[in-house]
Amino acid sequence: MSELPLWEIFIRGQHGLNHRHVGSLHAADAEQAILNARDVYTRRNEGVSIWVVPSSAITASSPSEKGPLFDPAEDKVYRHPTFFEIPDEVGPL
Amino acid sequence: MYAQMVKSTGSSVKTREEMSPEEARFQARVDAGEKIEPKDWMPEGYRKNLIRQIGQHAHSEIVGQLPEGNWITRAPTLSRKAILLAKVQDEAGHGLYLYCAAETLGVTRDELFDALHEGRMKYSSIFNYPTLTWADIGAVGWLVDGAAIMNQVPLQRCSYGPYSRAMIRICKEESFHQRQGFDIMMKMASGTEAQRAMAQDALNRFWYPSLMMFGPSDANSVHSAQSMAWKIKMNSNDELRQKFVDLTVPQAEYLELTVPDENLSWNEEKGGYDFSEPDWDEFFEVLRGNGPCNKERLGARVKAWEDGAWVREGLVANAQKKQRMAAE
């Protein structure tokens, strides 16, 4: 028999927070994946909501292209507020 | 430990000059404390070694359920039964976290199961010892989980991201295991004469097998040197064993139980206990499959897998049917 499909599990830890990736597990379908995720990843009340996504549906960026992919942000320090020097007498800004 | 005697593939640790540019870059990242992630380039030896180590660790969690599962139906109170059930369920969870970590290295869980069931992969020697009395469940939590924690805490800092994250989750839950074990020991040790005797007997039988969990001295092992260079092994076996003894002996004293070692004595100079080595011939016999429960454990594991086949098949058939119906 072929192996049960792999699912990636995302859990919202508390109301108001994002779902976060916590790991993966095997299940025949989405419904079972949610039940398994409850047993595997929330035995101690770690979540208020679960998302399950087939692992095969995830496209990941390639580590070897990390440089070209992210370097557009590297030379734009002016995107950070600390780039601008504002005199103290201006007060909070 | 939970992963004992993991053989690495390399013959010795390469010097920087002997490394290819890719290997040198990889080693530099490991040395700098960066985490290696699944899609990153890694030496083939690192990948293979990790699959063996994480796989063996996962198998130990799963097989480790059996000696304790033995007592779920016989726990002395409903509360103890519920606690033990939760503990054994955690072990299943720990196995699953670890199989997932191994799967990120390009092996499937079913391949790992096959390797376990066919005897090509091992699990920790400790689970081949029987749990004869309720006090054994206390000793397993206190000593076996205690020894496991000793090894797993440093592994939270290991170089492979998915393994490190699985270890972090596991360590969070492991302390419950050790404390519930010590709680059982406290109860037994302060009970009737017969209960005290049971507690002492459990300590007598589990002490040396627990020391064996760390594996034989690896001071001169090239396998260990390579694993340490790759940061998938963080401490030597002797170092961890010493730490375990130093921490555990005062706990035994608290219980007013006697550690079964005539040579046990405090060594002021080294700031630790001197103690007797376990019987390493026994250890190798257990690894070879000749421990008291090897056949029973693997047999139970294989039977559970085979008996569960119809459930897995049913789940897949049901999922396919629902998909077909949704399409129509």
Side-chain angles (χ1 to χ4, degrees):
Chain A
M1 193 192 77
S2 63
E3 193 163 45
L4 297 175
L6 194 62
W7 300 76
E8 298 301 320
I9 312 302
F10 299 78
I11 303 227
R12 186 200 298 285
Q14 290 170 39
H15 291 291
L17 296 184
N18 288 321
H19 283 78
R20 271 184 61 185
H21 182 244
V22 292
S24 48
L25 51 75
H26 291 273
D29 57 19
E31 204 182 329
Q32 194 205 352
I34 286 186
L35 290 177
N36 288 358
R38 180 201 60 186
D39 291 343
V40 178
Y41 292 108
T42 67
R43 287 194 303 282
R44 288 173 177 75
N45 267 326
E46 288 98 334
V48 294
S49 164
I50 300 173
W51 285 352
V52 299
V53 179
S55 301
S56 57
I58 291 196
T59 309
S61 64
S62 157
S64 60
E65 287 159 21
K66 198 168 87 188
L69 187 64
F70 295 109
D71 80 358
E74 261 166 30
D75 56 355
K76 297 178 181 62
V77 282
Y78 44 80
R79 282 179 168 158
H80 297 280
T82 46
F83 177 77
F84 304 95
E85 266 187 47
I86 307 290
D88 285 348
E89 50 265 47
V90 177
L93 189 77
Chain B
M1 183 60 310
Y2 269 27
Q4 295 157 323
M5 310 289 291
V6 177
K7 296 258 193 309
S8 70
T9 40
S11 48
S12 65
V13 182
K14 284 186 187 172
T15 63
R16 279 304 155 99
E17 290 71 41
E18 292 166 327
M19 288 180 185
S20 69
E22 277 170 321
E23 279 176 298
R25 249 196 318 274
F26 172 85
Q27 190 61 51
R29 290 187 61 199
V30 170
D31 292 343
E34 270 183 52
K35 294 285 182 237
I36 306 302
E37 295 296 339
K39 290 182 84 183
D40 294 345
W41 186 90
M42 60 186 83
E44 207 33 44
Y46 178 85
R47 179 190 304 276
K48 282 194 178 142
N49 224 24
L50 263 178
I51 290 175
R52 282 184 209 157
Q53 181 175 337
I54 303 175
Q56 203 184 104
H57 196 157
H59 297 330
S60 297
E61 301 283 356
I62 298 296
V63 176
Q65 293 179 102
L66 298 170
E68 292 182 295
N70 184 36
W71 279 90
I72 290 175
T73 55
R74 284 166 252 203
T77 67
L78 187 57
S79 158
R80 295 279 180 196
K81 180 180 178 141
I83 291 169
L84 183 58
L85 197 56
K87 197 233 175 211
V88 172
Q89 196 188 14
D90 271 357
E91 305 297 359
H94 295 181
L96 292 178
Y97 306 155
L98 287 161
Y99 284 123
C100 286
E103 283 186 293
T104 63
L105 292 159
V107 64
T108 69
R109 191 175 69 185
D110 283 7
E111 283 166 358
L112 291 171
F113 280 164
D114 286 344
L116 170 68
H117 298 160
E118 288 163 16
R120 285 179 283 119
M121 277 181 95
K122 303 256 178 256
Y123 53 88
S124 175
S125 58
I126 190 74
F127 302 117
N128 291 311
Y129 290 87
T131 44
L132 303 176
T133 73
W134 174 250
D136 287 12
I137 298 305
V140 166
W142 172 36
L143 301 174
V144 176
D145 288 285
I149 289 173
M150 212 46 83
N151 180 261
Q152 289 170 340
V153 165
L155 279 176
Q156 293 179 106
R157 292 179 283 110
C158 77
S159 63
Y160 189 56
Y163 192 26
S164 150
R165 291 189 286 273
M167 280 295 110
I168 291 170
R169 291 193 76 88
I170 289 174
C171 284
K172 262 193 212 160
E173 300 177 348
E174 202 77 67
S175 156
F176 149 53
H177 299 177
Q178 199 191 11
R179 292 175 72 131
Q180 68 86 35
F182 196 74
D183 186 62
I184 294 175
M185 290 308 275
M186 284 197 300
K187 194 82 183 169
M188 297 295 282
S190 62
T192 63
E193 239 353 90
Q195 285 169 323
R196 275 198 66 76
M198 240 184 250
Q200 181 62 53
D201 174 56
L203 173 57
N204 291 350
R205 281 180 292 107
F206 275 93
W207 176 254
Y208 287 106
S210 299
L211 296 189
M212 290 177 200
M213 286 176 68
F214 299 95
S217 177
D218 56 352
N220 304 310
S221 154
V222 286
H223 301 304
S224 293
Q226 178 61 78
S227 290
M228 284 169 110
W230 280 334
K231 291 195 188 164
I232 53 179
K233 181 180 172 77
M234 312 300 283
N235 308 81
S236 78
N237 295 349
D238 288 329
E239 219 178 314
L240 291 172
R241 187 168 18 247
Q242 181 71 51
K243 238 176 130 179
F244 173 74
V245 170
D246 292 345
L247 223 72
T248 309
V249 168
Q251 295 164 357
E253 283 167 2
Y254 177 86
L255 295 170
E256 293 179 20
L257 297 177
T258 310
V259 172
D261 181 358
E262 286 175 0
N263 300 316
L264 185 77
S265 66
W266 178 256
N267 182 331
E268 190 61 48
E269 207 175 307
K270 76 171 178 185
Y273 286 93
D274 290 330
F275 56 93
S276 304
E277 290 274 312
D279 178 356
W280 291 114
D281 291 338
E282 177 184 320
F283 171 77
F284 287 113
E285 273 306 299
V286 174
L287 279 201
R288 263 194 288 274
N290 302 323
C293 301
N294 292 58
K295 287 194 182 69
E296 187 185 331
R297 298 290 184 245
L298 200 56
R301 181 54 226 161
V302 171
K303 184 175 185 303
W305 180 245
E306 286 173 355
D307 288 355
W310 70 271
V311 179
R312 296 190 297 277
E313 280 159 22
L315 287 167
V316 171
N318 183 50
Q320 286 167 347
K321 188 178 88 181
K322 277 199 290 192
Q323 239 174 11
R324 268 198 316 275
M325 283 165 68
E328 276 161 18

